[in-house]
Amino acid sequence: MVDTILMITCLLSLVIWFVQEKKARPQLQQKLNALIAGGQQLPVEQLQTDTNPPWNQWLFKFTTAIWIGWAASVILLKDGDFAFILVMLTFLSGVITGLDKLFFAGARKVYIESKAVADYLQNYSREQRESLTQYFAADMVIGEYAKSFFPILAFVLVLRSFVIEPFQIPSGSMMPTLQVGDYILVNKYTYGLRLPVVGTKIVEVDQPKRGDAVVFFPPHQDIYFIKRVIGLPGDQVTYKNKVLSVNGKVMEQTLLAELPPLNPQMRMFTENLQAVEHLAQSALHRYTVTPTTNQQGDFSITVKPGHYWVMGDNRDNSADSRSWGQVPEERLVGKAFAIWLHWPSIFDFPSLSRLGTIQ
């Protein structure tokens, strides 16, 4: 819904900008020409107000209103894909920038540098001339914002889509490796370059390895998850008594602590996934439910070709492949490689205490 509203808003903004340049701009220049012909000199503020068609001012107010409406829909509906938003804003600003350079910018420059206009502006002080020159030669407000933001949006889009993207950890499913409020960096090119939004891979680079902390879209919904790769395509993964085995080889665990000390409820340990040794934790109690009703039970599965079996490091408190199945390769986003900030909530102070790489 929010993305649809954004598409409509972008289309309307593009049309309004085009109408302003094709219709409002000539009217503005005609009014200035009439003042020049009549030898009438107005104060700077009045000159700008009188030459700008009233309907053009209303168009700008309308444009402002629809963008505020879209922003309100994001807040109220709590929906919207940031990648799609970034693509649409970059596309809108890029189209306006390109069309303006091809069709309108040159004509504005020729007009403001014409002898009649230049001679008329000589009647004003240097400071006033600069202000009026900028006013009559500049883009309409929509175009001005578009051209200002386009380089920034394009840079962020390329960086976020193909290089590095930041994420916030919203849950405790990867504890103790990742805490709620950790801000992490994800390598977007490790598993191949993909087009933003559509996710089509355009460059093959590498494949996930066992032990990687990966960001992905689960099979059942289009929101970001982060879990650890346990099983690669073709692997036989077994989980028995809270111990993993892959292809018949036990993934060794080393107990670090049982917490809290006076009444232990949880065990913290390191787990060796052959390529990666990482922290993990699980409850001390045995299973109280069957594997068919909860993901905490024993299981044995074979990973399908082109799929990955993922689990959270917080083994008894993680919605992962045990809940919704194997992750298709095309749903992968990237590899989490570093924590750069810890900020649990707006009521806490940001901290660099957890700064470091992710194992």
Side-chain angles (χ1 to χ4, degrees):
M1 178 66 177
V2 169
D3 292 342
T4 302
I5 295 173
L6 176 62
M7 291 178 64
I8 295 172
T9 303
C10 287
L11 180 60
L12 286 174
S13 299
L14 180 61
V15 171
I16 289 170
W17 167 79
F18 191 79
V19 169
Q20 286 180 319
E21 288 293 344
K22 288 292 290 183
K23 299 296 183 181
R25 177 78 63 183
Q27 289 184 21
L28 182 151
Q29 293 174 350
Q30 288 170 8
K31 290 184 178 181
L32 180 59
N33 291 339
L35 292 174
I36 294 172
Q40 186 178 1
Q41 183 178 349
L42 302 177
V44 172
E45 293 78 7
Q46 185 180 351
L47 178 61
Q48 293 175 346
T49 301
D50 288 0
T51 54
N52 189 17
W55 63 266
N56 186 45
Q57 300 175 40
W58 282 106
L59 271 184
F60 173 70
K61 293 177 181 178
F62 174 73
T63 307
T64 303
I66 62 175
W67 279 103
I68 292 175
W70 170 76
S73 71
V74 173
I75 297 171
L76 294 175
L77 299 177
K78 297 180 181 179
D79 192 11
D81 180 356
F82 181 74
F84 181 79
I85 293 171
L86 186 57
V87 167
M88 286 302 300
L89 293 179
T90 305
F91 176 77
L92 173 65
S93 59
V95 168
I96 290 176
T97 299
L99 290 177
D100 184 71
K101 187 173 183 179
L102 284 174
F103 300 109
F104 302 117
R108 289 198 303 270
K109 184 178 180 181
V110 169
Y111 177 76
I112 201 65
E113 292 178 352
S114 65
K115 187 176 185 306
V117 175
D119 289 346
Y120 180 77
L121 295 182
Q122 288 299 320
N123 297 318
Y124 294 89
S125 68
R126 179 179 176 182
E127 209 172 272
Q128 291 174 329
R129 281 201 306 273
E130 290 176 355
S131 175
L132 290 171
T133 298
Q134 184 177 9
Y135 175 76
F136 288 109
D139 310 278
M140 294 295 178
V141 177
I142 296 175
E144 183 178 355
Y145 278 119
K147 292 171 73 174
S148 298
F149 283 113
F150 175 64
I152 300 171
L153 290 170
F155 175 77
V156 172
L157 178 62
V158 171
L159 183 68
R160 185 184 183 277
S161 300
F162 304 119
V163 186
I164 292 175
E165 183 174 1
F167 288 91
Q168 181 195 12
I169 302 301
S171 73
S173 67
M174 283 293 286
M175 292 176 62
T177 305
L178 298 172
Q179 307 287 336
V180 175
D182 281 347
Y183 285 77
I184 66 172
L185 296 177
V186 175
N187 186 323
K188 297 296 291 287
Y189 58 82
T190 297
Y191 305 142
L193 299 182
R194 298 179 183 273
L195 294 175
V197 181
V198 295
T200 303
K201 184 181 287 188
I202 54 176
V203 177
E204 189 76 41
V205 179
D206 200 358
Q207 298 296 324
K209 296 178 176 58
R210 188 176 299 112
D212 285 359
V214 297
V215 172
F216 59 93
F217 295 106
H220 66 300
Q221 58 186 137
D222 291 331
I223 62 172
Y224 291 121
F225 272 53
I226 178 168
K227 306 293 176 186
R228 193 173 298 278
V229 174
I230 303 298
L232 305 177
D235 281 350
Q236 178 75 29
V237 179
T238 301
Y239 192 57
K240 186 175 183 180
N241 296 332
K242 303 192 179 183
V243 176
L244 279 167
S245 298
V246 180
N247 298 326
K249 183 176 178 61
V250 175
M251 302 293 102
E252 296 181 358
Q253 296 180 356
T254 302
L255 181 65
L256 298 178
E258 292 185 349
L259 302 171
L262 298 180
N263 183 26
Q265 300 293 319
M266 177 194 71
R267 57 190 293 267
M268 185 179 296
F269 56 91
T270 61
E271 182 176 65
N272 192 332
L273 294 176
Q274 299 177 323
V276 172
E277 186 173 72
H278 68 99
L279 291 173
Q281 66 184 42
S282 63
L284 282 172
H285 60 74
R286 298 284 296 174
Y287 307 126
T288 57
V289 290
T290 64
T292 57
T293 59
N294 188 285
Q295 75 270 22
Q296 296 176 0
D298 295 342
F299 65 85
S300 182
I301 59 96
T302 298
V303 184
K304 297 182 290 187
H307 289 70
Y308 295 88
W309 185 265
V310 299
M311 296 172 66
D313 290 346
N314 192 356
R315 291 291 160 75
D316 294 323
N317 189 18
S318 171
D320 49 40
S321 286
R322 293 171 290 180
S323 301
W324 30 252
Q326 304 176 30
V327 179
E329 188 274 339
E330 60 268 19
R331 304 284 284 178
L332 298 177
V333 174
K335 178 181 177 181
F337 70 91
I339 302 170
W340 63 277
L341 184 69
H342 182 68
W343 193 5
S345 74
I346 60 173
F347 303 106
D348 299 302
F349 287 104
S351 169
L352 300 178
S353 60
R354 291 183 46 76
L355 184 70
T357 58
I358 297 172
Q359 294 297 328

